[in-house]
Amino acid sequence: WVLSKTKKEDMDDNVAKYDGRWEVEELKENTVPGDRGLVLKSVAKHHAISAMLTKAFIFDNKPLIVQYEVNFQEGIDCGGAYIKLLSSSDDLNLEYFFDKTPYTIMFGPDKCGEDYKLHFIFRHKNPKTGEYDEKHAKRPDVDLKKFYLDKKTHLYTLVVKPDDTFEMLIDQSVVSKGSLLEDVVPPVNPPKEIEDPSDKKPDDWDERPKISDPNAVKPDDWDEDEPSKIEDPDAVKPEGWLDDEPQYVLDPNARKPKDWDEEMDGEWEAPQIPNPKCETAPGCGHWVRPMKNNPNYKGKWKAPMIDNPNYQGTWSPRKIPNPNYFEDLHPFKMTSVSAIGLELWSMTSDIYFDNFIICSEKEVADRWAADGWGLKKLVASANEPGMFSQLVTAAEDHPWLWVLYILTLALPVGLGVLFC
């Protein structure tokens, strides 16, 4: 692994440096003796570290399998744990690895706030212009939250196949799959036709499906001045209404503060409180008849709507052949990969990485997983507290659970006594 000695561009030197610290350490919890991983240690700093592959991966007739382990040992507030597969080039120098170093694939978890992501991005070369565009796989349709917060080691796997399909797996279970041609944004291939930018909507184009009836006439008995609400003439003041009592009175228990300065603060008055005499009465103060809907109210008259005889539909520009159109039926044929890199920023430290592997054989990746992640999973399972310990721990956080536990135990005992 090679630490980057460069910095980000277009940023202040104090912020742009890749001075985030890395260590090689054991897991904090569920440690496997003798097993260590690469750990991101710093908070709010840029980290960049990379390693050359033993040989370049060429996208020909074999699938690409990328697999590695991540443990957010302190949980994660905002930060990523994704990897970049760096594109092969004659001038690739890992000491100068930074955010703009060309990559072929970016894959892995990323989280900020309540947005939990699993990235799969590949850079596609436009066969007409030679320029590269990022293509983002659609988001997994599963809840990823637990993988970021449970402080366990999880296995992330990406499989990209020569038939232009892909799969993303967490802990060897598929969480997303699709086609490089159909399930990425923006699409690999642009549309054959586009809207003509020079086509303009005619001034007399009528897009209104309905219009006011020009022949309609307001009825003679239509009174627009009638209010929507009127007093209810049948309403009767409730018996016991206290006309002479105000709704609020001065608080008799209030006392002027000792530090009150009448020259600075003005004359002191006690705050008002609801009149206690009104609490048992139907109401206090001047009684006003309640309002009700006016049966004669019709509102502002409007002519009824009719079908527009001149309606021409919604206008849209005419279509023309897309001058930038191309068709790439095999986007799997990506730029070869010579190195793997971690270029990350995080607000949480102690992100643990381990057991990176890039290969083409599922059996190899599965065996690698069993010898690494599988062993960690066994140790973590063995260290899991028993059912009784979990119940006690839960009750410590939520004391009301003790009542539930007692009732749960008392119910069968009580039924036994009652019936036996």
Side-chain angles (χ1 to χ4, degrees):
W1 291 92
V2 178
L3 283 168
S4 175
K5 297 181 179 178
T6 187
K7 61 182 180 179
K8 285 177 172 277
E9 295 179 350
D10 305 322
M11 296 182 71
D12 185 88
D13 286 352
N14 294 328
V15 179
K17 294 177 181 178
Y18 285 101
D19 54 355
R21 188 164 59 91
W22 298 89
E23 295 290 348
V24 176
E25 299 176 340
E26 294 182 337
L27 281 168
K28 290 186 173 182
E29 298 179 5
N30 302 315
T31 304
V32 178
D35 185 43
R36 298 188 296 171
L38 181 64
V39 183
L40 179 150
K41 299 296 292 183
S42 306
V43 173
K45 287 184 178 292
H46 296 293
H47 301 73
I49 194 168
S50 54
M52 294 297 296
L53 306 185
T54 52
K55 65 176 181 178
F57 183 89
I58 299 172
F59 294 85
D60 46 23
N61 58 359
K62 292 184 178 181
L64 168 72
I65 301 176
V66 184
Q67 186 170 275
Y68 69 108
E69 301 167 12
V70 176
N71 188 321
F72 296 107
Q73 299 184 94
E74 301 295 337
I76 183 70
D77 179 29
C78 185
Y82 45 81
I83 62 172
K84 291 181 177 180
L85 302 185
L86 305 183
S87 303
S88 300
S89 68
D90 295 335
D91 59 350
L92 180 60
N93 185 340
L94 299 188
E95 289 189 352
Y96 293 94
F97 170 48
F98 72 136
D99 59 321
K100 291 185 173 60
T101 300
Y103 69 89
T104 299
I105 284 176
M106 186 175 115
F107 167 66
D110 188 17
K111 184 251 183 185
C112 204
E114 289 301 309
D115 191 10
Y116 301 86
K117 299 178 182 178
L118 180 61
H119 292 293
F120 167 39
I121 304 169
F122 68 93
R123 294 175 72 243
H124 177 260
K125 185 177 181 180
N126 187 313
K128 294 189 70 172
T129 65
E131 296 179 351
Y132 285 86
D133 291 317
E134 289 186 350
K135 309 298 180 183
H136 296 245
K138 294 179 181 178
R139 298 180 68 139
D141 191 22
V142 297
D143 185 6
L144 301 174
K145 187 173 182 177
K146 66 176 183 178
F147 302 111
Y148 297 77
L149 303 179
D150 63 6
K151 299 183 182 180
K152 294 181 179 179
T153 303
H154 293 289
L155 185 72
Y156 293 87
T157 307
L158 170 68
V159 181
V160 188
K161 301 177 182 179
D163 64 357
D164 301 294
T165 61
F166 69 88
E167 290 182 340
M168 288 188 277
L169 302 90
I170 303 179
D171 297 344
Q172 298 185 313
S173 295
V174 175
V175 296
S176 179
K177 62 181 179 179
S179 165
L180 299 178
L181 288 165
E182 299 174 2
D183 299 302
V184 298
V185 180
V188 168
N189 295 308
K192 290 184 178 181
E193 292 184 322
I194 60 171
E195 294 181 347
D196 185 355
S198 64
D199 192 16
K200 305 298 180 186
K201 182 170 71 172
D203 294 336
D204 59 350
W205 190 278
D206 196 338
E207 292 184 324
R208 300 171 300 164
K210 298 280 187 179
I211 59 171
S212 298
D213 185 354
N215 300 318
V217 178
K218 183 172 71 171
D220 294 335
D221 61 349
W222 191 286
D223 188 351
E224 295 182 345
D225 297 327
E226 283 283 350
S228 61
K229 298 281 187 180
I230 58 173
E231 287 187 351
D232 185 355
D234 299 324
V236 177
K237 182 170 66 174
E239 186 176 350
W241 188 280
L242 305 178
D243 295 271
D244 299 328
E245 290 290 339
Q247 292 184 348
Y248 292 91
V249 295
L250 297 177
D251 185 356
N253 298 320
R255 298 290 181 265
K256 182 171 69 173
K258 293 180 180 180
D259 58 351
W260 187 275
D261 187 336
E262 293 196 354
E263 291 185 2
M264 296 289 293
D265 304 321
E267 184 179 354
W268 181 82
E269 291 184 357
Q272 292 192 335
I273 60 172
N275 189 342
K277 295 180 180 179
C278 299
E279 292 180 0
T280 56
C284 290
H286 177 63
W287 181 77
V288 178
R289 292 181 184 275
M291 305 295 285
K292 71 171 188 175
N293 292 329
N294 183 359
N296 298 320
Y297 172 73
K298 295 183 178 180
K300 187 76 174 176
W301 181 84
K302 293 181 181 179
M305 303 297 286
I306 61 172
D307 292 335
N308 182 2
N310 299 319
Y311 176 62
Q312 295 172 273
T314 302
W315 183 87
S316 60
R318 62 174 172 265
K319 299 287 187 176
I320 61 172
N322 184 356
N324 298 317
Y325 175 72
F326 63 82
E327 188 175 45
D328 180 359
L329 297 178
H330 298 293
F332 174 78
K333 301 285 187 177
M334 304 178 195
T335 306
S336 61
V337 172
S338 293
I340 181 174
L342 297 163
E343 191 266 317
L344 304 168
W345 183 90
S346 176
M347 287 302 294
T348 310
S349 64
D350 293 307
I351 303 176
Y352 175 98
F353 300 86
D354 202 3
N355 292 329
F356 297 90
I357 186 172
I358 299 174
C359 64
S360 294
E361 300 79 19
K362 183 177 183 298
E363 297 78 12
V364 173
D366 288 347
R367 189 164 61 249
W368 187 264
D371 291 343
W373 171 76
L375 187 57
K376 291 186 177 73
K377 184 180 179 183
L378 285 174
V379 171
S381 297
N383 292 336
E384 284 284 343
M387 179 62 72
F388 180 76
S389 299
Q390 293 183 43
L391 292 174
V392 172
T393 302
E396 289 175 353
D397 295 332
H398 306 285
W400 56 268
L401 285 173
W402 286 115
V403 177
L404 182 62
Y405 296 164
I406 293 170
L407 291 175
T408 304
L409 292 173
L411 182 62
V413 173
L415 290 174
V417 170
L418 179 64
F419 290 104
C420 299

